[in-house]
Amino acid sequence: MTTADDLFDEIFDEAGAGIERLGLRALPFTESPSGTNDTDRLRKVFTGRLNELKAVFTQLRGGDRRRILVFGRIGSGKSAFVLQVLATLQRKIPDILTVYSSLDPDSDLVTTAFIALAQALPKDDWAQTQLHQLGLATAKPQKERTTEASGSLKFFGAKLSEKSLAPGELERPAEALQQLIDRARKTYTSGVIIAIDDLDKQDPARVRRLMHDAQGTLKGQASFILTGHPIGMMGDLFTSERGLFDLQIELKDLDMPTTQKMLAKYLTSVRIKPDPSDDPKDPTDIRPFTPDAAKQFCRASRGKPRLFNRLGASVLNTAILKNATQIDLELLKEGLTASQMSRRELARLTDKENRLRTLLSERGTLSDEDILMEDLETLGFRSFNELLPLLEKLEYADLASRNELGYATEFEPLNVDLPFSEFPD
Ligand SMILES: Nc1ncnc2c1ncn2[C@@H]1O[C@H](COP(=O)(O)OP(=O)(O)O)[C@@H](O)[C@H]1O
Ligand SMILES: [Mg+2]
């Protein structure tokens, strides 16, 4: 072994020691769940949303076809929620098929559903041929498929990133999907559930068109769960596609007791020596956080799951760098500050966006009701609407947060490194 290797091995071991010093095996926090491969982790950490889960299960347990819309802001936990729903159905209902896919910006709802479903049916030769014609990777290479029994291969994930060539187009997507659903239902007699995540990654006009084009499909022989965030779709959907959904569920910020529980679950999921008295389903152990620090951490994350994960990662990393064995208020403060800085860097704000961020923290709030002409002028804008995309970018970076006040839209700065006294209870 060379000296250079030794150095990296040493760093590797040190990194492990840093985490272990905190009593943990690994970092539990992640930005977003990684599709259906993440079911195990998610099951251990998923917290709250009990009423929402109940409502969805009530709709889906009978095996009737349903259309469900899950909406909420970026990072509110839509993907996690849907994955948790699918994993539970898969466990509880024999002979049900659940598939999950994120909506590819270049694709449409029907084609995305078709691909996800076809990839979940590796034994269906017709489905595999269609995939192949679309230029997408099949469960196994086409040539081999015809000669080998195809039952042994498991095929996971329905991401378009798995394509091997530029995708072609389905000739009659709606009919092809209908046919595929019918084929799937012969094997999966309890029904087929298709979840399409991230409708919001499209512009609102396109989402409306996609929804319109998919109406027939959505009323077909499968259940659908769609997700998106309100700016991208709600205005349009509520007006033009009213009645299309059997259930519309909004994922709001979690309350503080639930957020505290969530923290305990995340930490317990990676704890080296779990406290034997701790209920794994409903743990209360928040070590290595001190009780004070845990409480302030939860306030800082405001019940927003993605922010919670971002802040958690930053705080633990800070603790590791400092060789800490516990996270007290002092260390928490440092970790939150580090996160604020890294989120600013990550966001790669332009000059204009930075000036808007400064203005937002000076004013405290900005809304379409109380925006000043002079503020707009200094930034070079004519109306609040023109500011919206920039404010949303700040929101996306967790540098601003949006409040819905009836018809008014209001943003406030999201500074997690404020003095703690300024956090609301
Ligand atoms: N109810 C929950 N319990 C535990 N972790 C959650 C919950 N909801 C979301 N998360 C986690 O928070 C992060 C952001 O959630 P995500 O589902 O990606 O949000 P969205 O899809 O709405 O943008 C992910 O790491 C996810 O696993
Ligand atoms: Mg998501």
Side-chain angles (χ1 to χ4, degrees):
M1 194 188 281
T2 67
T3 331
D5 278 343
D6 286 348
L7 173 65
F8 296 120
D9 290 2
E10 219 169 277
I11 298 174
F12 183 85
D13 294 341
E14 268 171 31
I19 301 165
E20 283 169 19
R21 218 171 280 127
L22 293 163
L24 308 175
R25 277 182 281 111
L27 297 176
F29 302 106
T30 65
E31 187 101 335
S32 60
S34 45
T36 43
N37 303 328
D38 216 14
T39 313
D40 259 0
R41 185 192 71 87
L42 210 51
R43 185 160 39 107
K44 288 189 201 135
V45 301
F46 192 85
T47 317
R49 307 292 188 211
L50 300 183
N51 293 333
E52 291 88 344
L53 287 170
K54 209 175 278 173
V56 172
F57 291 146
T58 303
Q59 291 283 334
L60 291 174
R61 65 171 298 143
D64 292 334
R65 290 164 283 118
R66 301 286 185 206
R67 295 151 305 223
I68 296 170
L69 175 68
V70 177
F71 67 101
R73 310 207 55 76
I74 304 154
S76 58
K78 299 178 295 296
S79 299
F81 181 81
V82 168
L83 289 166
Q84 187 62 21
V85 164
L86 297 185
T88 307
L89 293 171
Q90 196 74 65
R91 233 180 6 256
K92 296 290 282 185
I93 306 182
D95 301 321
I96 197 169
L97 176 62
T98 67
V99 301
Y100 168 90
S101 178
S102 176
L103 180 61
D104 189 291
D106 304 324
S107 190
D108 59 84
L109 258 173
V110 178
T111 307
T112 302
F114 182 90
I115 292 168
L117 189 52
Q119 288 182 329
L121 298 168
K123 291 190 215 171
D124 188 312
D125 283 335
W126 181 78
Q128 298 311 306
T129 309
Q130 298 296 310
L131 275 183
H132 189 68
Q133 281 170 6
L134 281 167
L136 293 167
T138 49
K140 46 170 68 181
Q142 272 313 97
K143 277 187 205 149
E144 286 170 37
R145 285 187 43 54
T146 46
T147 53
E148 274 176 41
S150 50
S152 57
L153 261 195
K154 281 226 167 109
F155 192 79
F156 289 111
K159 290 224 169 113
L160 289 168
S161 57
E162 278 155 11
K163 64 193 160 197
S164 54
L165 296 164
E169 272 176 26
L170 288 168
E171 212 164 291
R172 293 194 187 128
E175 283 168 35
L177 178 59
Q178 197 46 61
Q179 191 177 340
L180 192 56
I181 292 170
D182 290 343
R183 294 172 79 93
R185 283 179 61 103
K186 292 208 177 91
T187 313
Y188 296 95
T189 46
S190 302
V192 173
I193 300 184
I194 302 175
I196 310 281
D197 204 356
D198 300 318
L199 260 70
D200 46 38
K201 304 248 162 93
Q202 315 264 345
D203 73 87
R206 187 164 148 77
V207 170
R208 189 174 19 168
R209 204 165 52 240
L210 287 181
M211 293 298 302
H212 187 80
D213 293 349
Q215 286 222 22
T217 297
L218 291 173
K219 290 177 180 158
Q221 294 302 311
S223 287
F224 283 87
I225 305 177
L226 308 181
T227 81
H229 99 70
I231 304 177
M233 49 192 305
M234 296 329 298
D236 291 291
L237 277 187
F238 275 143
T239 51
S240 65
E241 318 290 349
R242 195 191 291 274
L244 182 57
F245 293 102
D246 298 296
L247 178 68
Q248 298 174 337
I249 287 222
E250 180 176 8
L251 299 185
K252 301 202 167 109
D253 295 347
L254 300 165
D255 61 22
M256 278 306 119
T258 308
T259 310
Q260 295 243 24
K261 251 188 228 168
M262 181 157 75
L263 180 60
K265 277 203 171 186
Y266 271 79
L267 295 169
T268 300
S269 75
V270 292
R271 189 166 285 116
I272 294 170
K273 282 192 203 136
D275 188 335
S277 69
D278 222 17
D279 175 2
K281 267 200 222 146
D282 223 350
T284 52
D285 189 351
I286 39 82
R287 285 173 307 147
F289 286 71
T290 63
D292 271 0
K295 196 169 164 199
Q296 299 296 0
F297 172 80
C298 292
R299 284 190 189 168
S301 72
R302 300 177 186 220
K304 298 178 189 296
R306 188 186 60 166
L307 181 59
F308 170 96
N309 273 274
R310 285 183 165 179
L311 296 181
S314 178
V315 169
L316 283 191
N317 279 320
T318 304
I320 290 167
L321 281 176
K322 299 257 152 179
N323 292 331
T325 54
Q326 71 165 16
I327 296 164
D328 56 13
L329 277 180
E330 194 68 22
L331 201 85
L332 176 70
K333 225 167 182 171
E334 264 182 63
L336 294 180
T337 308
S339 146
Q340 187 85 1
M341 290 189 307
S342 74
R343 276 178 291 124
R344 254 177 234 172
E345 275 163 30
L346 269 180
R348 293 177 204 283
L349 302 182
T350 62
D351 271 1
K352 218 174 217 185
E353 290 157 354
N354 252 320
R355 275 187 283 137
L356 178 60
R357 192 181 58 75
T358 311
L359 180 70
L360 185 60
S361 47
E362 279 166 16
R363 291 279 183 274
T365 61
L366 289 178
S367 80
D368 46 2
E369 306 258 281
D370 63 15
I371 186 96
L372 302 174
M373 260 339 266
E374 58 170 279
D375 287 343
L376 287 169
E377 271 162 24
T378 40
L379 290 163
F381 287 101
R382 279 163 302 166
S383 72
F384 185 77
N385 273 349
E386 290 179 350
L387 280 183
L388 266 180
L390 276 64
L391 285 164
E392 280 170 21
K393 185 170 170 193
L394 293 181
E395 187 200 13
Y396 191 75
D398 283 324
L399 293 167
S401 88
R402 177 183 171 122
N403 308 312
E404 296 295 342
L405 308 165
Y407 288 105
T409 304
E410 179 189 273
F411 285 82
E412 61 178 17
L414 207 165
N415 294 322
V416 295
D417 54 1
L418 285 174
F420 291 116
S421 59
E422 292 186 29
F423 288 120
D425 254 308

